[in-house]
Amino acid sequence: MRRLLIEEPVTRAGPLSRQLAVFAIIATGLALIVVRDPRSDTDAALVALVAGLGIALAAAVAAICAFVQIWREGARGLGAALAGLMLALLLLGYPAYLGLRGLRLPVLSDITTDIENPPAFSRSRAAYAARSGRYPPDPSSAIRERQRDAYPQIAPLTLDIGADEAFELARKAALNRHWQIVEAIRPGGRTGNGRIEAVARGLVLNLPDDVTVRIRPRADGARIDVRSASRLGGRDFGSNADRIRAYLDDVANLALAVK
């Protein structure tokens, strides 16, 4: 008596998910390498990066479709689907975190410790060149109110030391954070204020943001104000506020160390 061979169904979505996820990792990795190079075409690299993340999303969808087929038909391919989903989630985890964080934060890309009188960015030729010919516009009253509601803890740093000493600490903290210092003007002169003009880059994408630090002499010491503005997009997902907080904490720690 002949036996009938019954083939078990195999989901095609599982291997497809794994293949898409592997391709997404390669594409995203190459895009990250390109976008982190200051000499590269940033816009094209960002488009490639978004495309890689889109492929990762497609891999996650294919994995879910594979799970449904496996559940309904008992099809094989669970391992490939799990591998595709895990690789896709590995790529999509950080963007998803930024997206969720952005939903809780207002649309802001320019943060300052002095809402009423924000530090002005330098208009010198060197500063213009470092900012690729860009001058961040002064925030409107609506943007100032938005920041006041979102970041009430962003405030200037007051030190009970001289303005010259505060300037040196501010400059050292900027160097410690690997900022590109474009200008460093000591307190004194016509306005009496010191200024540090710098370009800071993001940790992941290495995209440039513009920072200016103002050191103002006071009768009892010095006051340090910071302004940080993103170059790309109208939403910074909290990065400028994080940068200002971390920088002023560094300056305060340096001031404590020298006492």
Side-chain angles (χ1 to χ4, degrees):
M1 187 174 179
R2 299 177 61 184
R3 292 185 178 181
L4 295 177
L5 297 178
I6 302 176
E7 295 185 359
E8 295 182 9
V10 179
T11 175
R12 295 181 179 179
L16 176 62
S17 172
R18 183 174 57 192
Q19 293 170 2
L20 287 174
V22 171
F23 182 75
I25 288 179
I26 296 173
T28 304
L30 292 175
L32 281 174
I33 293 174
V34 174
V35 79
R36 289 183 62 84
D37 186 353
R39 301 166 297 178
S40 65
D41 185 346
T42 302
D43 293 339
L46 288 175
V47 170
L49 181 62
V50 172
L53 295 176
I55 296 172
L57 182 61
V61 172
I64 294 174
C65 293
F67 294 148
V68 172
Q69 186 177 1
I70 292 169
W71 174 263
R72 290 179 175 177
E73 304 175 10
R76 293 183 295 159
L78 178 62
L82 285 174
L85 181 62
M86 291 178 64
L87 292 175
L89 293 180
L90 181 65
L91 280 180
L92 296 173
Y94 184 66
Y97 161 75
L98 289 181
L100 292 174
R101 189 183 188 193
L103 292 176
R104 298 186 292 104
L105 297 174
V107 180
L108 290 170
S109 61
D110 191 331
I111 304 297
T112 177
T113 58
D114 190 346
I115 297 178
E116 301 303 328
N117 183 26
F121 285 95
S122 173
R123 294 180 179 270
S124 71
R125 184 177 300 178
Y128 265 120
R131 293 194 301 262
S132 301
R134 176 180 180 271
Y135 184 81
D138 291 334
S140 65
S141 57
I143 292 177
R144 294 178 185 180
E145 289 303 317
R146 220 179 292 162
Q147 181 194 322
R148 195 191 307 274
D149 294 338
Y151 304 111
Q153 76 281 12
I154 297 295
L157 175 65
T158 302
L159 300 174
D160 56 351
I161 58 178
D164 285 335
E165 189 176 359
F167 171 84
E168 289 298 335
L169 296 180
R171 189 174 68 89
K172 184 176 181 180
L175 291 173
N176 289 344
R177 300 195 70 81
H178 304 289
W179 292 357
Q180 175 194 349
I181 296 181
V182 180
E183 287 183 350
I185 300 175
R186 292 182 172 277
R190 185 175 58 183
T191 63
N193 297 331
R195 186 179 74 247
I196 298 173
E197 196 87 5
V199 176
R201 292 187 174 272
L203 181 62
V204 178
L205 298 181
N206 202 41
L207 297 176
D209 293 330
D210 299 309
V211 182
T212 185
V213 182
R214 183 178 64 200
I215 300 93
R216 177 178 295 174
R218 291 164 49 104
D220 57 348
R223 166 175 163 162
I224 299 178
D225 283 290
V226 187
R227 181 178 171 191
S228 180
S230 302
R231 289 193 191 180
L232 298 176
R235 184 189 291 270
D236 64 6
F237 300 97
S239 62
N240 287 305
D242 291 343
R243 177 179 295 117
I244 291 174
R245 274 192 294 259
Y247 172 72
L248 291 181
D249 285 344
D250 289 350
V251 177
N253 291 332
L254 289 173
L256 290 175
V258 298
K259 286 187 177 180

